[in-house]
Amino acid sequence: MCIRDSSTLLEYFFSCGIKEYNKRNKTLATATLETAVTCLQKSIQMDAICPNNIEDEKLKEEVFSQRDAILLKFKRQLMSCYMYLWYVSQLDWKVEPLSRHMDDIEKLCLDLPDKIGILVEMFRYVRMDDKALEYEKKAHLRKTNSFHF
């Protein structure tokens, strides 16, 4: 499956998930959003663009840059899916389906440091206060150790 096909599928499932969430249909919202998550995870893992065999260094660098931009876009879309799974969990004040994805969300946020605040709130919601505190401290250390001119 090419990137365009999986991108189209994930957009379809994501939009269906949002529609079902807006209807407060937790079962279908969960199913379609988790399918979108699977599509995104496979797209990220597939890493179909492999410029290692390109000899022209400028071209190779450009291809790597475009690949990185595509992967970042997929990771941001994946985080959006996880956020909607969090919203779905809040429909009936349960931790499911969010809690099933916390390990993956934590790994994803290593590549998306601007989402650490959201990760902390998700950890709090699923009552993983030790993890929330851990990332809160890391975020605070990062802020206090950065220099602004």
Side-chain angles (χ1 to χ4, degrees), residues 30-47:
T30 299
T32 52
L33 288 167
E34 286 183 333
T35 302
V37 164
T38 300
C39 287
L40 279 162
Q41 288 172 331
K42 287 183 179 181
S43 294
I44 291 167
Q45 291 168 356
M46 191 169 52
D47 196 7

PDB file of all heavy atoms in Angstrom, residues 30-47:
ATOM      1  N   THR A  30     -14.669   4.745  19.018  1.00  0.00           N
ATOM      2  CA  THR A  30     -13.473   4.010  19.424  1.00  0.00           C
ATOM      3  C   THR A  30     -12.963   3.138  18.285  1.00  0.00           C
ATOM      4  O   THR A  30     -11.764   3.149  17.970  1.00  0.00           O
ATOM      5  CB  THR A  30     -13.764   3.139  20.669  1.00  0.00           C
ATOM      6  OG1 THR A  30     -14.167   3.990  21.744  1.00  0.00           O
ATOM      7  CG2 THR A  30     -12.545   2.339  21.085  1.00  0.00           C
ATOM      8  N   ALA A  31     -13.862   2.396  17.658  1.00  0.00           N
ATOM      9  CA  ALA A  31     -13.453   1.484  16.581  1.00  0.00           C
ATOM     10  C   ALA A  31     -12.820   2.225  15.408  1.00  0.00           C
ATOM     11  O   ALA A  31     -11.761   1.826  14.900  1.00  0.00           O
ATOM     12  CB  ALA A  31     -14.647   0.661  16.104  1.00  0.00           C
ATOM     13  N   THR A  32     -13.430   3.312  14.982  1.00  0.00           N
ATOM     14  CA  THR A  32     -12.899   4.024  13.818  1.00  0.00           C
ATOM     15  C   THR A  32     -11.620   4.792  14.160  1.00  0.00           C
ATOM     16  O   THR A  32     -10.687   4.813  13.364  1.00  0.00           O
ATOM     17  CB  THR A  32     -13.953   4.974  13.216  1.00  0.00           C
ATOM     18  OG1 THR A  32     -14.485   5.812  14.237  1.00  0.00           O
ATOM     19  CG2 THR A  32     -15.080   4.198  12.561  1.00  0.00           C
ATOM     20  N   LEU A  33     -11.555   5.377  15.341  1.00  0.00           N
ATOM     21  CA  LEU A  33     -10.333   6.079  15.733  1.00  0.00           C
ATOM     22  C   LEU A  33      -9.174   5.102  15.934  1.00  0.00           C
ATOM     23  O   LEU A  33      -8.045   5.390  15.537  1.00  0.00           O
ATOM     24  CB  LEU A  33     -10.563   6.905  16.995  1.00  0.00           C
ATOM     25  CG  LEU A  33     -11.420   8.156  16.797  1.00  0.00           C
ATOM     26  CD1 LEU A  33     -11.853   8.735  18.136  1.00  0.00           C
ATOM     27  CD2 LEU A  33     -10.675   9.194  15.964  1.00  0.00           C
ATOM     28  N   GLU A  34      -9.450   3.942  16.510  1.00  0.00           N
ATOM     29  CA  GLU A  34      -8.377   2.954  16.682  1.00  0.00           C
ATOM     30  C   GLU A  34      -7.928   2.389  15.338  1.00  0.00           C
ATOM     31  O   GLU A  34      -6.758   2.046  15.178  1.00  0.00           O
ATOM     32  CB  GLU A  34      -8.800   1.854  17.650  1.00  0.00           C
ATOM     33  CG  GLU A  34      -8.801   2.358  19.093  1.00  0.00           C
ATOM     34  CD  GLU A  34      -9.145   1.304  20.123  1.00  0.00           C
ATOM     35  OE1 GLU A  34      -9.861   0.329  19.792  1.00  0.00           O
ATOM     36  OE2 GLU A  34      -8.707   1.464  21.284  1.00  0.00           O
ATOM     37  N   THR A  35      -8.818   2.329  14.367  1.00  0.00           N
ATOM     38  CA  THR A  35      -8.423   1.913  13.020  1.00  0.00           C
ATOM     39  C   THR A  35      -7.533   2.978  12.389  1.00  0.00           C
ATOM     40  O   THR A  35      -6.530   2.656  11.743  1.00  0.00           O
ATOM     41  CB  THR A  35      -9.662   1.647  12.144  1.00  0.00           C
ATOM     42  OG1 THR A  35     -10.456   0.633  12.774  1.00  0.00           O
ATOM     43  CG2 THR A  35      -9.272   1.172  10.750  1.00  0.00           C
ATOM     44  N   ALA A  36      -7.863   4.242  12.595  1.00  0.00           N
ATOM     45  CA  ALA A  36      -7.013   5.333  12.100  1.00  0.00           C
ATOM     46  C   ALA A  36      -5.637   5.273  12.761  1.00  0.00           C
ATOM     47  O   ALA A  36      -4.614   5.468  12.094  1.00  0.00           O
ATOM     48  CB  ALA A  36      -7.676   6.689  12.364  1.00  0.00           C
ATOM     49  N   VAL A  37      -5.604   4.964  14.051  1.00  0.00           N
ATOM     50  CA  VAL A  37      -4.329   4.820  14.764  1.00  0.00           C
ATOM     51  C   VAL A  37      -3.496   3.716  14.122  1.00  0.00           C
ATOM     52  O   VAL A  37      -2.301   3.888  13.865  1.00  0.00           O
ATOM     53  CB  VAL A  37      -4.567   4.530  16.270  1.00  0.00           C
ATOM     54  CG1 VAL A  37      -3.303   4.003  16.939  1.00  0.00           C
ATOM     55  CG2 VAL A  37      -5.066   5.785  16.982  1.00  0.00           C
ATOM     56  N   THR A  38      -4.119   2.586  13.836  1.00  0.00           N
ATOM     57  CA  THR A  38      -3.408   1.469  13.210  1.00  0.00           C
ATOM     58  C   THR A  38      -2.866   1.862  11.842  1.00  0.00           C
ATOM     59  O   THR A  38      -1.712   1.549  11.515  1.00  0.00           O
ATOM     60  CB  THR A  38      -4.335   0.242  13.088  1.00  0.00           C
ATOM     61  OG1 THR A  38      -4.768  -0.132  14.402  1.00  0.00           O
ATOM     62  CG2 THR A  38      -3.633  -0.931  12.435  1.00  0.00           C
ATOM     63  N   CYS A  39      -3.666   2.555  11.039  1.00  0.00           N
ATOM     64  CA  CYS A  39      -3.202   3.020   9.716  1.00  0.00           C
ATOM     65  C   CYS A  39      -1.986   3.938   9.858  1.00  0.00           C
ATOM     66  O   CYS A  39      -1.006   3.798   9.118  1.00  0.00           O
ATOM     67  CB  CYS A  39      -4.315   3.773   8.986  1.00  0.00           C
ATOM     68  SG  CYS A  39      -5.644   2.765   8.357  1.00  0.00           S
ATOM     69  N   LEU A  40      -2.056   4.861  10.798  1.00  0.00           N
ATOM     70  CA  LEU A  40      -0.939   5.794  11.003  1.00  0.00           C
ATOM     71  C   LEU A  40       0.301   5.080  11.505  1.00  0.00           C
ATOM     72  O   LEU A  40       1.409   5.342  11.031  1.00  0.00           O
ATOM     73  CB  LEU A  40      -1.349   6.892  11.972  1.00  0.00           C
ATOM     74  CG  LEU A  40      -2.159   8.008  11.338  1.00  0.00           C
ATOM     75  CD1 LEU A  40      -2.898   8.812  12.385  1.00  0.00           C
ATOM     76  CD2 LEU A  40      -1.258   8.905  10.513  1.00  0.00           C
ATOM     77  N   GLN A  41       0.127   4.169  12.441  1.00  0.00           N
ATOM     78  CA  GLN A  41       1.281   3.432  12.960  1.00  0.00           C
ATOM     79  C   GLN A  41       1.960   2.635  11.844  1.00  0.00           C
ATOM     80  O   GLN A  41       3.187   2.607  11.757  1.00  0.00           O
ATOM     81  CB  GLN A  41       0.861   2.495  14.095  1.00  0.00           C
ATOM     82  CG  GLN A  41       0.523   3.229  15.369  1.00  0.00           C
ATOM     83  CD  GLN A  41      -0.077   2.332  16.427  1.00  0.00           C
ATOM     84  OE1 GLN A  41      -0.736   1.337  16.136  1.00  0.00           O
ATOM     85  NE2 GLN A  41       0.126   2.695  17.690  1.00  0.00           N
ATOM     86  N   LYS A  42       1.152   2.010  10.985  1.00  0.00           N
ATOM     87  CA  LYS A  42       1.733   1.248   9.873  1.00  0.00           C
ATOM     88  C   LYS A  42       2.429   2.168   8.878  1.00  0.00           C
ATOM     89  O   LYS A  42       3.480   1.825   8.345  1.00  0.00           O
ATOM     90  CB  LYS A  42       0.658   0.403   9.191  1.00  0.00           C
ATOM     91  CG  LYS A  42       0.251  -0.786  10.026  1.00  0.00           C
ATOM     92  CD  LYS A  42      -0.753  -1.665   9.339  1.00  0.00           C
ATOM     93  CE  LYS A  42      -1.078  -2.830  10.259  1.00  0.00           C
ATOM     94  NZ  LYS A  42      -2.021  -3.755   9.692  1.00  0.00           N
ATOM     95  N   SER A  43       1.858   3.322   8.624  1.00  0.00           N
ATOM     96  CA  SER A  43       2.486   4.281   7.712  1.00  0.00           C
ATOM     97  C   SER A  43       3.822   4.758   8.261  1.00  0.00           C
ATOM     98  O   SER A  43       4.794   4.890   7.520  1.00  0.00           O
ATOM     99  CB  SER A  43       1.571   5.484   7.478  1.00  0.00           C
ATOM    100  OG  SER A  43       0.412   5.102   6.800  1.00  0.00           O
ATOM    101  N   ILE A  44       3.875   4.999   9.553  1.00  0.00           N
ATOM    102  CA  ILE A  44       5.118   5.450  10.180  1.00  0.00           C
ATOM    103  C   ILE A  44       6.154   4.331  10.165  1.00  0.00           C
ATOM    104  O   ILE A  44       7.312   4.556   9.830  1.00  0.00           O
ATOM    105  CB  ILE A  44       4.856   5.947  11.624  1.00  0.00           C
ATOM    106  CG1 ILE A  44       4.044   7.249  11.576  1.00  0.00           C
ATOM    107  CG2 ILE A  44       6.157   6.142  12.381  1.00  0.00           C
ATOM    108  CD1 ILE A  44       3.460   7.674  12.915  1.00  0.00           C
ATOM    109  N   GLN A  45       5.738   3.124  10.495  1.00  0.00           N
ATOM    110  CA  GLN A  45       6.657   1.984  10.521  1.00  0.00           C
ATOM    111  C   GLN A  45       7.144   1.605   9.134  1.00  0.00           C
ATOM    112  O   GLN A  45       8.276   1.156   8.966  1.00  0.00           O
ATOM    113  CB  GLN A  45       5.994   0.770  11.171  1.00  0.00           C
ATOM    114  CG  GLN A  45       5.765   0.934  12.650  1.00  0.00           C
ATOM    115  CD  GLN A  45       4.858  -0.148  13.219  1.00  0.00           C
ATOM    116  OE1 GLN A  45       4.326  -0.987  12.509  1.00  0.00           O
ATOM    117  NE2 GLN A  45       4.679  -0.107  14.540  1.00  0.00           N
ATOM    118  N   MET A  46       6.280   1.771   8.141  1.00  0.00           N
ATOM    119  CA  MET A  46       6.608   1.378   6.773  1.00  0.00           C
ATOM    120  C   MET A  46       7.806   2.169   6.261  1.00  0.00           C
ATOM    121  O   MET A  46       8.668   1.611   5.595  1.00  0.00           O
ATOM    122  CB  MET A  46       5.385   1.605   5.875  1.00  0.00           C
ATOM    123  CG  MET A  46       5.497   1.007   4.514  1.00  0.00           C
ATOM    124  SD  MET A  46       3.926   1.020   3.619  1.00  0.00           S
ATOM    125  CE  MET A  46       3.396   2.701   3.744  1.00  0.00           C
ATOM    126  N   ASP A  47       7.860   3.449   6.571  1.00  0.00           N
ATOM    127  CA  ASP A  47       8.967   4.308   6.146  1.00  0.00           C
ATOM    128  C   ASP A  47       9.337   4.000   4.695  1.00  0.00           C
ATOM    129  O   ASP A  47      10.467   3.617   4.386  1.00  0.00           O
ATOM    130  CB  ASP A  47      10.158   4.126   7.088  1.00  0.00           C
ATOM    131  CG  ASP A  47      11.172   5.249   6.958  1.00  0.00           C
ATOM    132  OD1 ASP A  47      10.896   6.229   6.239  1.00  0.00           O
ATOM    133  OD2 ASP A  47      12.248   5.135   7.559  1.00  0.00           O
TER     134      ASP A  47
END
